[in-house]
Amino acid sequence: MPTDSSWVYAPAPEDSSHVEIKKHYQLFIDGKFRDAADGRTFDTQNPANEAHLSEVAFSGEADVDTAVKAARRAYNEVWCPMRPADRGKYLYRIARILQERSREFAVTESLDGGKPIKESRDIDIPLAAAHFFYYAGWADKLDYAFPGRSPSSLGVAGQIIPWNFPLLMAAWKIAPALACGNTVVLKPAETTPLTAMKLAEVFQEAGLPAGVVNILPGDGSTGAALVQHPDIDKIAFTGSTEVGKRIQQAIAGTAKKATLELGGKAANIILDDAPLHQAVEGIINGIFFNQGHVCCAGSRLLVQEGVYDSVVTLLKDRMETLRVGDPLDKNTDIGAINSKAQQDIIQGYLELGEKEGAEIHQPNCTLPSKGYWCLPTLFLNATQSHRIVQEEIFGPVLAVQTFRTPDEAIEMANNTPYGLSAGVWTDKGSRIFNFTKRLRAGVVWANTYNQFDPSSPFGGFKESGFGREGGLHGLEPYLRLD
Ligand code: NAI
Ligand code: MG
């Protein structure tokens, strides 16, 4: 909460009384909820106050095997033979139920993961529904998507998702897989299983045939068992580059197809002719949105020398007015860090940045006493060789550097192991084209940042992974094209 009283807003908490969070959630296998074969469970908590939310069944190897068998049966007997237009009808139904239950999903997402309600309400949940709507439309039009080819489904997809956009990542993965005629075994992240379990309820409500989607909460060992299961045809993974590499090793020499969406270290580039107020607002959104828990976060800022002082002044002023606190408050800009483990990672980088010689700046603001938090942070005078410039921090931390010429900016932007996204801010269209052509990044936003749409493909270069999700491109990884 900013200490300047002119900026203190009255609390405006979102009503959560309509949301039922069960004491215990079970695995979703073959259309039914059941406990883990060995009875194991784990707890999920609210990172904003460390309160226990629910106990969740933990999937072991035996459960992975049961789920993959159910998915195979559903693939052979029901989903693959079904008329594509009928598959589309199920996807439309899922999308509509998500819209009907959107408030409940938004509150659950904010409780379990710590993100501000204005983001889960306005971005995560509507976009998740939009993905189901979008891919529902493709289900019976695959022949038109790939003219002259004969698209056919792959079989069973194993999908592993992270904790930063739990429901949205589930939708990104499940919707195109089903539209293309595959069945799914999905593993949500260990700190944010709840919206995936509610999504299983939506599948039941939609009458989705048993076994078409199976949901297995658990941890890395569950994910690894899924990756190694011999009857999986395709792996889709979003998460850390480290685990992405491990998955590649595990499937080497098998016929399993894979798409990996990994880390990022995006540069947001402000040229001296940019509209500065607009640019600063975009930079703030690019790195502080969702506490910087975003693989495409604009975590580096490159500013052309002539406007550096003005940009830094504007940034610091704007940071003073950001509201950090209760994720369920509608005025909150920055919520809780997703877990203690992630908070420790970020804290380690804050100490490292100062040790490396960058100048740290944080706004004058107090944090709640319980829960996991990080103040929005600038590192000024960062240099290209600093680890805070090279490595993904996955927190609300922005490293600021300067450049003289556009060529220099492009070289600096491209000089990390990653290549997921970038942003460019300038008044001139020709400069935008120069940058978008030469930046080695899967997505380049111009005079805006963090804009998503189901029709637009997303994915990385270099160590940010391979394959695309979203749009027409997002169908390809789930199809055989003869
Ligand atoms: P992680 O990559 O370990 O977890 C992502 C998912 O993979 C989770 O569902 C996890 O259970 C699963 N997983 C873990 N080990 C696995 C294995 N060997 N085989 C199959 N699945 C496995 O990420 P974590 O530990 O949560 O976060 C660590 C760092 O990773 C973050 O600080 C951030 O830098 C990065 N990260 C990047 C994400 C992105 O969207 N690109 C998302 C989450 C984390
Ligand atoms: Mg949680």
Side-chain angles (χ1 to χ4, degrees):
M1 195 68 63
T3 45
D4 176 351
S5 58
S6 63
W7 286 100
V8 175
Y9 283 28
E14 175 79 19
D15 178 21
S16 57
S17 60
H18 58 100
V19 178
E20 188 206 355
I21 295 191
K22 295 186 180 135
K23 281 201 170 76
H24 177 72
Y25 281 93
Q26 296 173 300
L27 319 181
F28 184 62
I29 299 179
D30 209 12
K32 291 185 278 297
F33 289 100
R34 57 170 90 175
D35 282 322
D38 60 8
R40 265 194 296 168
T41 61
F42 66 104
D43 291 337
T44 187
Q45 61 164 204
N46 177 347
N49 57 16
E50 299 170 52
H52 168 88
L53 284 174
S54 184
E55 176 194 75
V56 183
F58 182 104
S59 320
E61 250 176 74
D63 304 303
V64 169
D65 189 54
T66 313
V68 173
K69 287 198 172 106
R72 177 63 60 189
R73 205 165 41 245
Y75 176 74
N76 289 335
E77 294 171 12
V78 186
W79 199 246
C80 181
M82 188 182 281
R83 273 190 343 130
D86 290 333
R87 293 201 287 256
K89 284 185 203 164
Y90 283 107
L91 292 175
Y92 280 123
R93 213 180 280 168
I94 293 163
R96 283 196 300 268
I97 299 173
L98 273 179
Q99 286 185 321
E100 281 162 18
R101 292 176 61 173
S102 62
R103 279 296 157 112
E104 172 196 350
F105 270 89
V107 170
T108 308
E109 203 73 302
S110 285
L111 284 172
D112 203 14
K115 64 172 62 198
I117 187 72
K118 70 177 174 193
E119 286 172 11
S120 45
R121 182 196 62 203
D122 299 345
I123 295 166
D124 294 62
I125 312 310
L127 264 180
H131 269 82
F132 279 104
F133 274 120
Y134 176 79
Y135 282 109
W138 276 121
D140 60 349
K141 301 177 194 69
L142 297 175
D143 289 332
Y144 302 101
F146 304 99
R149 320 275 297 268
S150 332
S152 57
S153 53
L154 298 174
V156 178
Q159 307 184 322
I160 298 163
I161 56 172
W163 40 262
N164 54 347
F165 293 89
L167 182 73
L168 183 58
M169 288 302 103
W172 275 32
K173 299 223 168 352
I174 295 172
L178 298 191
C180 293
N182 307 280
T183 57
V184 166
V185 180
L186 175 98
K187 194 205 84 69
E190 39 273 61
T191 55
T192 52
L194 295 185
T195 46
M197 299 330 296
K198 282 185 181 278
L199 184 60
E201 296 169 3
V202 169
F203 295 147
Q204 276 191 331
E205 205 180 323
L208 189 71
V212 171
V213 179
N214 306 272
I215 299 187
L216 297 183
D219 70 5
S221 65
T222 315
L226 188 56
V227 168
Q228 278 153 20
H229 196 286
D231 204 28
I232 291 278
D233 299 292
K234 189 222 150 56
I235 296 290
F237 171 77
T238 299
S240 62
T241 295
E242 185 197 334
V243 172
K245 287 179 181 172
R246 247 183 276 158
I247 290 177
Q248 262 186 302
Q249 283 161 0
I251 62 173
T254 73
K256 288 172 191 166
K257 286 181 82 168
T259 40
L260 303 179
E261 203 262 276
L262 311 174
K265 193 72 187 177
N268 236 325
I269 303 165
I270 304 189
L271 292 152
D272 56 11
D273 63 343
L276 295 187
H277 285 85
Q278 186 190 331
V280 164
E281 203 54 36
I283 303 303
I284 293 270
N285 169 44
I287 184 60
F288 299 138
F289 166 53
N290 200 22
Q291 298 71 250
H293 296 338
V294 186
C295 45
C296 54
S299 51
R300 290 185 290 153
L301 173 60
L302 309 182
V303 190
Q304 200 156 15
E305 271 183 8
V307 291
Y308 177 78
D309 290 339
S310 320
V311 167
V312 170
T313 305
L314 287 171
L315 264 179
K316 286 181 172 173
D317 283 354
R318 181 67 180 90
M319 282 166 72
E320 287 301 323
T321 63
L322 289 173
R323 287 173 294 269
V324 187
D326 181 7
L328 282 189
D329 194 306
K330 290 165 214 152
N331 291 321
T332 291
D333 298 304
I334 299 182
I337 298 301
N338 183 267
S339 65
K340 174 82 172 65
Q342 190 59 32
Q343 190 188 35
D344 290 344
I345 293 177
I346 299 168
Q347 188 56 38
Y349 277 106
L350 295 186
E351 287 158 22
L352 178 72
E354 286 198 277
K355 239 188 263 163
E356 290 185 310
E359 179 196 328
I360 193 168
H361 171 84
Q362 294 179 321
N364 182 17
C365 148
T366 48
L367 293 173
S369 55
K370 277 204 118 178
Y372 315 123
W373 306 94
C374 178
L375 285 173
T377 304
L378 286 186
F379 270 120
L380 302 170
N381 302 324
T383 71
Q384 199 66 30
S385 61
H386 284 165
R387 283 178 55 199
I388 53 161
V389 168
Q390 291 291 328
E391 296 175 14
E392 180 172 58
I393 298 174
F394 227 62
V397 182
L398 179 65
V400 187
Q401 298 171 267
T402 59
F403 66 90
R404 288 193 178 156
T405 65
D407 283 350
E408 193 191 346
I410 289 167
E411 201 171 304
M412 289 165 78
N414 287 338
N415 181 12
T416 76
Y418 296 111
L420 194 54
S421 57
V424 54
W425 299 83
T426 169
D427 204 29
K428 274 207 183 68
S430 59
R431 284 180 138 183
I432 290 174
F433 286 118
N434 180 30
F435 273 85
T436 49
K437 228 167 80 184
R438 293 167 61 200
L439 288 169
R440 305 278 299 153
V443 184
V444 183
W445 285 290
N447 294 331
T448 184
Y449 207 83
N450 274 343
Q451 298 294 325
F452 295 95
D453 187 271
S455 63
S456 149
F458 184 85
F461 283 48
K462 302 192 279 184
E463 290 194 21
S464 291
F466 51 80
R468 295 290 177 265
E469 293 185 305
L472 185 71
H473 300 67
L475 293 167
E476 255 187 83
Y478 289 100
L479 290 171
R480 212 178 62 212
L481 292 172
D482 295 319

